[in-house]
């Protein structure tokens, strides 16, 4: 079966063009969507990784049979509509990855979506909840360790308990509060997302990211970055996929893999139910997503839709 990867980046996590091509050949991936990441004034500048459109276009020019170019200019830019028009003439086939610290209700997003719909582009977007990000205030092992524990180590568990310790006992409280900054989140408001999906029926919205995939279940715990454990009731993304013909998702990255891996019984139900709306992707990871999909086994025809047909259909 020929596979299409709907979520890749050039230059992220050491994935330059030769590395991407080798991984594609190894896993039997025929084509990949190449996505950008642009935010003019990111709130966490030290962890922002700008991924401009030029390497995407260069890769597609060298290997037009292997790559499909996407570009998502920052909606806060001077004229994102003009940028979308300009790059559509250069061959981009979609808008993505939209990963900016705005909310769906922002008027900038409305104007942006008007431009995306004009070109009938699919839109790949990322969702993250607001949080505090800790930055070390000096050199040394303790400072380094504290930064890790208060950010992403152990799937957020260490952050959760250290913050609770500081709040209840006062231990490390002043240090933590002094050296953390508020991260405002990324497109995390589901209520206004739903309004935009209704407002712009000509856009195929393709959701992705930790906050998106945490809502595969109705129950969530603030202890985790990526939710864990079995569950019995699907969350809001199940309803959105069921309700709107222009709403899709991609199962790329840690968040997509985790959403399926945490409860394989529910994963099979989800994949079988929404096989027409799910796109395969890697997001520059080497997680065994293909093996997971095959072990869950939603059936040959539905696997073909997830691994290939859906990605072709949303580009029509």
């Amino acid at each position: 079966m020929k596979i299409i990867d709907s979520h890749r980046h050039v230059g992220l996590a050491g994935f330059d063009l030769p590395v991407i091509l080798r991984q594609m050949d190894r896993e039997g991936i025929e084509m990949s969507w190449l996505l950008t990441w642009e935010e003019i004034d990111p709130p966490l500048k030290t962890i922002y990784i700008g991924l401009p459109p030029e390497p995407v276009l260069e890769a597609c020019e060298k290997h037009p049979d292997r790559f499909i170019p996407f570009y998502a200019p920052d909606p806060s830019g001077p004229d994102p509509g003009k940028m979308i028009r300009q790059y559509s003439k250069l061959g981009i086939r979609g808008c993505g990855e939209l990963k900016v610290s705005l909310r769906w209700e922002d008027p900038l997003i409305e104007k942006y979506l008007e431009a995306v719909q004009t070109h009938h582009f699919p839109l790949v977007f990322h969702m993250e909840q607001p949080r505090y990000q800790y930055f070390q205030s000096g050199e040394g092992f303790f400072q380094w360790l504290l930064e890790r524990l208060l950010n992403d180590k152990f799937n957020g568990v260490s952050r959760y308990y250290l913050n609770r310790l500081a709040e209840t006992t006062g231990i490390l409280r002043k240090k933590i509060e002094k050296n953390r900054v508020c991260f405002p989140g990324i497109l995390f408001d589901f209520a206004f997302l739903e309004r935009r999906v209704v407002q712009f029926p000509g856009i195929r919205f393709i959701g992705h990211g930790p906050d998106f995939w945490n809502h595969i279940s109705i129950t969530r715990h603030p202890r985790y970055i990526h939710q864990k454990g079995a569950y019995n009731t699907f969350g809001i993304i199940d309803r959105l996929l069921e309700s709107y013909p222009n709403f899709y998702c991609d199962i790329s990255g840690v968040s997509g893999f985790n959403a399926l891996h945490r409860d394989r019984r529910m994963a099979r139900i989800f994949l079988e139910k929404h096989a027409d709306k799910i796109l395969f992707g890697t997001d520059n990871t080497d997680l065994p997503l293909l093996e997971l999909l095959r072990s869950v086994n939603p059936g040959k025809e539905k696997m073909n839709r997830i691994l290939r047909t859906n990605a072709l259909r949303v580009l029509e």
Side-chain angles (χ1 to χ4, degrees), residues 40-265:
I40 295 169
D41 188 22
L44 300 178
K45 294 179 174 58
T46 57
I47 61 175
Y48 167 70
I49 303 171
L51 300 170
E54 286 73 23
V56 167
L57 294 175
E58 290 172 9
C60 294
E61 184 177 1
K62 290 179 181 177
H63 303 278
D65 58 331
R66 304 301 303 273
F67 297 120
I68 297 171
F70 277 55
Y71 173 43
D74 187 339
S76 302
D79 194 344
K82 179 180 178 181
M83 298 298 290
I84 291 173
R85 289 194 301 274
Q86 176 182 332
Y87 278 88
S88 70
K89 295 176 182 178
L90 295 175
I92 68 165
R93 301 281 304 282
C95 185
E97 176 179 6
L98 183 61
K99 188 176 178 180
V100 291
S101 297
L102 296 172
R103 299 186 65 166
W104 289 104
E105 64 182 308
D106 196 303
L108 289 174
I109 292 292
E110 183 170 27
K111 290 185 64 177
Y112 192 85
L113 295 177
E114 289 171 357
V116 175
Q117 180 162 264
T118 296
H119 294 278
H120 200 60
F121 282 156
L123 173 70
V124 180
F125 64 90
H126 182 103
M127 298 181 76
E128 281 187 40
Q129 275 286 323
R131 66 178 186 272
Y132 283 106
Q133 186 82 7
Y134 182 88
F135 292 96
Q136 64 186 74
S137 58
E139 300 296 327
F141 175 75
F142 178 72
Q143 293 288 342
W144 173 84
L145 180 63
L146 200 59
E147 184 176 48
R148 294 292 306 281
L149 294 177
L150 283 166
N151 291 330
D152 57 356
K153 193 67 173 174
F154 305 117
N155 192 27
V157 173
S158 55
R159 174 178 65 193
Y160 176 79
Y161 284 112
L162 274 173
N163 282 326
R164 288 193 65 183
L165 176 70
E167 290 166 4
T168 56
T169 69
I171 297 173
L172 293 175
R173 182 172 182 173
K174 289 184 178 179
K175 183 172 186 58
I176 290 173
E177 290 178 350
K178 179 182 178 182
N179 293 295
R180 68 184 184 182
V181 298
C182 181
F183 173 67
I186 295 173
L187 299 168
F188 65 90
D189 48 329
F190 271 93
F192 252 94
L193 166 60
E194 184 169 5
R195 295 188 193 185
R196 297 306 191 197
V197 172
V198 173
Q199 184 181 4
F200 294 97
I203 298 175
R204 282 81 74 211
F205 290 81
I206 305 170
H208 152 88
D211 189 44
F212 182 89
W213 279 115
N214 282 342
H215 282 80
I216 194 172
S217 65
I218 198 169
T219 55
R220 292 172 301 283
H221 196 289
R223 184 188 299 125
Y224 303 117
I225 296 172
H226 304 284
Q227 294 296 305
K228 295 178 64 176
Y231 58 95
N232 293 312
T233 307
F234 287 124
I236 190 171
I237 62 175
D238 171 71
R239 181 178 65 79
L240 295 177
L241 288 167
E242 188 174 44
S243 300
Y244 301 106
N246 60 324
F247 192 81
Y248 295 78
C249 61
D250 84 51
I251 50 177
S252 68
V254 175
S255 58
F257 178 85
N258 176 77
L260 301 181
H261 184 265
R262 57 181 282 204
D263 188 331
R264 296 193 180 201
R265 179 185 68 87

Side-chain angles (χ1 to χ4, degrees), residues 241-308:
L241 288 167
E242 188 174 44
S243 300
Y244 301 106
N246 60 324
F247 192 81
Y248 295 78
C249 61
D250 84 51
I251 50 177
S252 68
V254 175
S255 58
F257 178 85
N258 176 77
L260 301 181
H261 184 265
R262 57 181 282 204
D263 188 331
R264 296 193 180 201
R265 179 185 68 87
M266 293 296 282
R268 180 178 290 108
I269 296 170
F270 185 86
L271 292 172
E272 290 175 348
K273 182 178 182 181
H274 300 299
D276 289 333
K277 296 292 200 71
I278 300 169
L279 284 71
F280 170 82
T282 60
D283 198 10
N284 292 44
T285 66
D286 56 3
L287 294 167
L289 180 57
L290 281 172
E291 290 83 349
L292 175 60
L293 288 171
R294 288 164 180 151
S295 69
V296 172
N297 189 23
K300 182 177 180 181
E301 178 56 36
K302 291 181 178 180
M303 276 282 284
N304 186 58
R305 296 177 205 169
I306 293 167
L307 295 179
R308 180 178 178 82

Side-chain angles (χ1 to χ4, degrees), residues 20-29 32 66-67:
I20 290 174
L21 286 167
R22 285 197 298 270
Q23 188 188 49
M24 289 172 63
D25 291 341
R26 184 171 64 248
E27 297 187 357
I29 296 173
S32 290
R66 304 301 303 273
F67 297 120

